[in-house]
């Protein structure tokens, strides 16, 4: 029972979540943590009960013992670090977005394929049991033709001009904020469920606070901390607070999506409805154990996550009996379960999880959205 | 206690609803019904317990006893009949849409103003107590700046290509179907709540069934009748089944709306969310007695329709104690209560109800949506 | 088209609701209002647009023109007035409870039968379309054996010791308050749906405010008025604020019900779940257009009130298309529609509406509940 | 960073859940698994990546390395094993129920206290962030006096007479089934939230299937397996399928609870409402990240689990940002986090988690419920 040895780079919001999900697997060991400097690395590693601490990501990558590396750094560092991991011939699991734009993400896809390393990206919302169930139902063909898909991803953590985070600034978070950070999840989830790629977009981005008050010390995202108003610096904001987007899919269905980080009372509401010829699917990430199925000629259905009601292939994504809610933490747990079984089995066959290709696909959509907003015109994805 | 005498033209879905709502007032008497021909008029008048029956709308308008006329005919007849009523110097209450396009609707606004007749349009969803409450809360200014407004109006009664109704055909229903018939309600409701006019739109209309099977005998809308497949005629469809729309408001807020008559399981789901600086409002017409108020720094609120919790000016829109649901029928009842008190009091002051101006405003939006879809470009409303 | 002439006695909360529902029928005319004295009768009749006003209920009953009388007085007067109406050989529609106890209610049942008058009691919650649907589904036998039925009826209008109403005092409201006023509805609704009479009860009544502050001027129930604290009189309270009740039905199913007028945030929440062998039914009066159907081996169902989805015999209880909510006001409207068609057709056959027998059945349950609470023992209904 | 060494006895539904939750802590190591025989122990230990396997629980207890033992065996074995663990002077964490009756549970409480070992019982529903929040809000006193507490715990996994499990039989599961297995959770959760002990009960137990078909091979609880109907044996059933219960608390509040394993569509619906003088609390375990707070004079509240909105002392029970759902798996995780910090810190002070005393308290209630059902009378708890 030798365990697979793993290193995690980055200990912000996502690093600890990765560590915990990996430990639940039982056959994976988190042996090292990388951070921006040695002191921070040591403190955080101790907090997280991780044996080794690296103040330099290159040193962590070079550690002979480590077979797989998780990239949990801020967006702007994703590209460089993932490239270095691939360069060292090690397996790589990246937080999203894969990179800051589709040029970078394309390069990573190519490099990873050439190097033959296992590569995954954490589009964790795919990994809810009922999202998998929607995917399976659509794939079975029983719902027929897709007419319309729509929804929203709403948060409120940046509603005030005194709310601040590294994601607000282009240098660390990239040119797009709301779309890049949360819209990316919405589009990945929808493409995964429908299997119908987004081919054209029409977007309108909005910045509701043209300047924000930046505190002198950083805060974690979604932390709910209430800061005092002293010691703020006014900074101009160039990244969008919200976006309204129309799109068309490969099959000709029309789509609509609203993305916002300034919608009061919405904490993390990824919401979608897919309207098919023979029924509709509706799902809300804030109540993830319930799937609504709309029907025209009989009562609508409300499926509670319950293994006995789900497609056989989907059942492994559910760990507890019906009515025992599965939550956010089971997303990365399921993703990693799939990735590490794949690694353990010698990386044969087709991955059943989101890979760098999916990360690149999302970056193409994001680039098209940014371009559409600039040109105020319908824009082809990947053109 | 002499009663105000009323005539209703049209006895499809809306005519009987008008009759019933008028009777609840107690001081209004429905004395005549107009229909397409004398036989139909007589049969329907008897069913509805209305004394007089007219097979010609001009004869009804000419009836000396009648002071107010309700225009409940199919869309294509709205203009001609309302114009004739105004020409006769009588008060007019029209079903929506006011006319088939904004040129016609503009003419009606001008004529009604010149004639000095009371004019109203049945945007009934305004008249729910909690829609009035949202309007009052926004007007008070406590919510601050509008950031984003979004939602949908979804139905499923035309999901199959065997579903048919006069609204499908341009000749009777007008050039736009989903937007004209139900989108019009969404935009009126949102403009009423926010007080912030839609000034620019970007629309994408979709026809999911390019041909439909038309039965030889007509069916009522939303009737839920299951027809046999015999005796259909294939007809090409030129009106949209669904629409996805972006917009901007006068104040600069961004907006998004999805309109569909092909979304399985949605019967009449007018749904909206308005995200303000200090809180968000969410309302669903299918559960109209609950208003969700989103908050960033304290728990969200769920207000049950209850007079004691609402703005004083809004209380007359609620007739029963808290927890006693008010439904669709109270919409026209409230509208007519306002219109007839206005008439009874000599039509002085500013109407508190939706008038032809509102009907015209909606037609301008609809025309801009159609143009935007044709040109695939952002389009100014009223330009 | 001669109209049926009706008199209403009592103009508190229910009288105006009856008047309005009757007017919607179109062939019924409310010709007289009775009140405690002539002045009050005149003022109220004028407000309600009712031609005649009587300060003495006996005079109204004696009015030759009046064929049907609605008894909308406080509970303590129900017996005497209904008895007088029956004595005059006129049809009677009583508000619930039928009388203050089962001895009185038994007498009314006997007298009405002997006199051959049409008699009805306003258990209005039966008349929601989806309650009728539950009744029809159970009657069809498809759900199999009843295992368990449970629920609650919760309000908050008497939560404070400064809340007061005539119902608090035994003299006007009767010995039981929460059970008599709202519990009666719960039991009637459940017996109607299941068709399975309650045969034994075990009850625990509770008075949370042993004294209340009685204002010098009366207030309407559920009015939400906030009174100033001046001029209150402390009065001891002998009627229950809440009740917890176990029961068994004729078929052997077990049951549970919680009744309360002191549950914060609940305005009028009549809620029930009936667990059958082949499925469960759940319904909440505050969201009356949705029926939940629990399933073991397939997804649960959520039926929106829609005529096309309901049993054919139930469709007349629904007046508007699916998704157009029907509310509290359609309850009495449906009840009266059934009663007056029955009257118009010469009172032949079996009534399809709740009659004095149902009112008596409820009084037997209430008496058994009171006795069980006194004796702290299981008590047979009607023993 | 030496890790605390743990052994788990039992690998049915709960054993693997304990293992996984322990691993998330990072400083606890599951070193051994005990099962009914050596073969089963070896197979299961391998599946769960646990190094040592014991076919005899006494051998596991005797393992020098092991400091803490988790008792995850069927109910009937709880007493004997926990007693042996205490006898060995080791810390013990037991699944519920603590023992088969209150005599046994009292003995365990005494023995554990005498031995000075840390003892805990897995009442995991206490450990949801919003259950902790309710506890904190009540403790603060802001809600005032408790009037009424009610709710239900409903499942459907035993609805058919072909459903079978060891819990059905008295020998393995104990004299009470529905109450003992799930009712125990309901009462513990309610006592934890209110801090107001249940002192008197009145219960009515029901067996809807007097005989069940027992398959020759065992099935896990809630497994959703659909068995073929071959090879069943008819066995008489002596444990209840459902229970309806009234109770009174120490402070005089009245209570009601419905327990059922035969309610179609309910998978694991622990539901409760506590009605206080100044507000009501409502919570549903199937949607655990939402807490409803009822208000009389202002809108009701709907609190999404979000650290920034919760009491400071409750925040450690929440691990992810607002809107990121926490589920069933975080219950044991939170419980064990508290237990193991307590152990690591030398077991000083008062435990912040559920101990054997709580397990005994629940057994006293269960015994009183059984006695009340037999005598059909109100019964004191612990009398």
């Amino acid at each position: 029972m030798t365990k697979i040895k793993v290193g995690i780079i980055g200990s912000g919001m996502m690093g600890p979540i990765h560590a915990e999900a990996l430990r639940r697997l039982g056959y994976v060991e988190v042996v090292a943590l990388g951070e921006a400097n040695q002191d921070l690395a040591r403190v955080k590693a101790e907090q997280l009960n991780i044996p080794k601490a690296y103040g330099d990501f290159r040193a962590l990558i070079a550690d002979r013992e480590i077979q797989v590396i998780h990239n949990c750094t801020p967006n702007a560092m994703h590209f460089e670090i993932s490239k270095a991991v691939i360069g060292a011939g090690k397996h790589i699991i990246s937080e999203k977005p894969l990179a800051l734009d589709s040029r970078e993400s394309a390069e990573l896809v190519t490099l990873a394929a050439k190097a033959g390393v296992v590569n995954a990206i954490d589009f964790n919302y795919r990994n809810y049991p009922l999202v998998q169930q929607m995917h399976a139902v659509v794939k079975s063909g029983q719902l027929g033709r897709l007419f319309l898909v729509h929804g929203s991803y709403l948060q409120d953590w940046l509603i005030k001009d005194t709310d601040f985070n590294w994601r607000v600034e282009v240098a660390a978070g990239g040119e797009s904020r709301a779309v890049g950070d949360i819209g990316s999840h919405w589009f990945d989830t929808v493409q995964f469920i429908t299997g119908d790629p987004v081919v054209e977009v029409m977007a309108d981005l909005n910045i509701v606070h043209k300047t924000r008050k930046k505190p002198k010390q950083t805060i974690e995202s979604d932390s709910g901390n209430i800061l005092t108003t002293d010691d703020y610096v006014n900074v101009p904001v160039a990244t969008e607070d919200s976006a309204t987007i129309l799109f068309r899919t490969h099959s000709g269905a029309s789509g609509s999506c609203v993305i916002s980080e300034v919608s009061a009372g919405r904490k993390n509401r990824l919401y979608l409805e897919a309207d098919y010829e023979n029924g509709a699917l509706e799902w809300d990430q804030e109540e993830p154990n319930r799937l609504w199925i709309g029907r025209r000629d009989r009562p609508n259905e409300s499926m509670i996550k319950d293994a006995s009601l789900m497609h056989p292939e989907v059942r492994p994504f559910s760990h507890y009996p019906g009515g025992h809610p599965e939550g956010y933490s089971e997303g990365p747990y399921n993703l990693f379960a799939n990735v590490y079984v794949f690694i353990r089995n010698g990386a044969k066959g087709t991955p059943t999880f989101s890979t760098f290709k999916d990360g690149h696909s999302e970056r193409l959509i994001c680039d098209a959205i940014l371009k559409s907003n600039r040109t105020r015109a319908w824009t082809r994805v990947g053109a």
Side-chain angles (χ1 to χ4, degrees), chain A:
Chain A
M1 218 176 55
T2 66
K3 295 186 171 179
I4 301 173
K5 303 289 195 302
V6 173
I8 295 173
I9 306 175
S11 65
M13 176 181 153
M14 293 310 301
I17 288 173
H18 282 232
E20 203 182 281
L22 289 169
R23 283 172 172 151
R24 292 167 79 171
L25 294 178
Y27 58 92
V28 172
E29 195 177 345
V30 182
V31 297
L33 179 73
E35 253 302 345
N37 59 64
Q38 193 60 37
D39 281 352
L40 183 58
R42 199 176 306 116
V43 169
K44 290 284 195 164
E46 199 163 318
Q47 276 173 20
L48 297 168
N49 297 290
I50 297 174
K52 302 184 197 175
Y54 288 101
D56 174 2
F57 72 82
R58 299 190 185 275
L60 185 146
I61 294 172
D63 185 326
R64 291 289 196 73
E65 180 186 43
I66 295 172
Q67 300 160 264
V68 189
I69 289 163
H70 289 241
N71 185 355
C72 300
T73 55
N75 301 354
M77 304 178 64
H78 286 181
F79 176 68
E80 184 187 5
I81 291 176
S82 291
K83 194 171 169 181
V85 172
I86 296 169
K90 299 195 172 183
H91 304 313
I92 171 78
I93 297 170
S94 178
E95 261 309 309
K96 40 106 332 227
L98 185 52
L100 288 186
D101 59 38
S102 61
R103 197 190 41 77
E104 287 182 359
S105 61
E107 187 178 340
L108 289 177
V109 170
T110 307
L111 290 174
K114 223 179 285 179
V117 299
V118 174
N119 58 90
I121 184 163
D122 182 21
F123 284 132
N124 52 297
Y125 298 120
R126 285 189 183 201
N127 295 286
Y128 274 110
L130 289 176
V131 173
Q132 291 284 331
Q133 171 71 8
M134 287 189 275
H135 170 79
V137 168
V138 169
K139 210 174 60 178
S140 77
Q142 67 189 258
L143 293 179
R145 190 152 56 101
L146 180 63
F147 287 163
L148 179 63
V149 54
H150 49 106
S152 54
Y153 197 147
L154 308 177
Q155 300 183 331
D156 70 0
W157 68 293
L158 289 171
I159 197 170
K160 299 179 186 179
D161 68 354
T162 49
D163 298 319
F164 207 87
N165 176 276
W166 59 262
R167 295 168 194 270
V168 169
E169 294 182 295
V170 173
E175 198 186 339
S176 167
R177 176 168 26 103
V179 171
D181 280 343
I182 58 176
S184 56
H185 278 297
W186 195 90
F187 281 102
D188 180 74
T189 306
V190 161
Q191 290 197 141
F192 174 68
I193 292 168
T194 62
D196 195 3
V198 172
V199 295
E200 197 172 10
V201 298
M202 172 71 224
D204 184 28
L205 308 189
N206 199 17
I207 301 171
V208 305
H209 295 301
K210 310 295 187 208
T211 65
R212 285 182 178 265
K213 296 181 189 310
K214 181 181 181 176
K216 285 172 185 168
Q217 60 188 73
T218 358
I219 54 169
E220 294 302 324
S221 61
D222 307 271
S223 68
N225 287 331
I226 297 155
L227 297 176
T228 59
T229 47
D230 300 338
D231 305 307
Y232 284 106
V233 182
N234 278 315
V235 296
V237 175
T239 55
E240 79 280 2
D241 293 310
S242 70
T244 48
I245 303 165
L246 307 183
F247 59 91
R248 287 278 181 151
T249 70
H250 180 75
S251 78
S254 49
S256 168
C257 176
V258 175
I259 310 293
S260 165
E261 296 175 334
V262 293
S263 293
R266 304 303 188 183
K267 303 309 174 192
N268 196 42
R269 194 169 188 257
L270 189 167
Y271 173 85
L272 60 92
E273 177 174 331
D275 296 326
Y276 283 87
E277 193 177 6
N278 302 323
L281 303 169
E282 181 203 42
W283 184 76
D284 174 0
Q285 192 274 155
E286 291 192 354
E287 294 186 1
N289 297 287
R290 202 184 60 85
L291 169 61
W292 182 88
I293 305 162
R295 301 294 185 185
R296 156 57 189 271
D297 295 326
R298 50 191 169 108
N300 298 324
E301 292 165 49
S302 180
M303 179 191 275
I304 293 179
K305 178 227 60 160
D306 183 304
S308 72
L309 303 176
M310 301 194 305
H311 273 244
E313 67 185 69
V314 168
R315 291 181 189 169
F317 285 83
S318 171
H319 305 279
Y320 313 110
H324 293 70
E326 314 214 11
Y328 177 78
S329 72
E330 276 79 29
Y333 177 41
N334 282 327
L335 171 62
F336 300 160
N338 276 278
V339 172
Y340 281 88
V341 163
F342 189 74
I343 289 174
R344 207 167 50 170
N345 293 343
K348 288 164 204 145
T350 309
T352 55
F353 48 84
S354 47
T355 68
F356 278 20
K357 276 187 190 164
D358 300 298
H360 176 54
S361 165
E362 179 276 309
R363 289 287 83 185
L364 288 173
I365 294 172
C366 187
D367 282 1
I369 286 170
L370 288 169
K371 186 175 167 197
S372 168
N373 180 59
R374 279 193 306 271
T375 58
R376 289 175 61 77
W378 280 94
T379 303
R380 300 289 304 175
V381 173

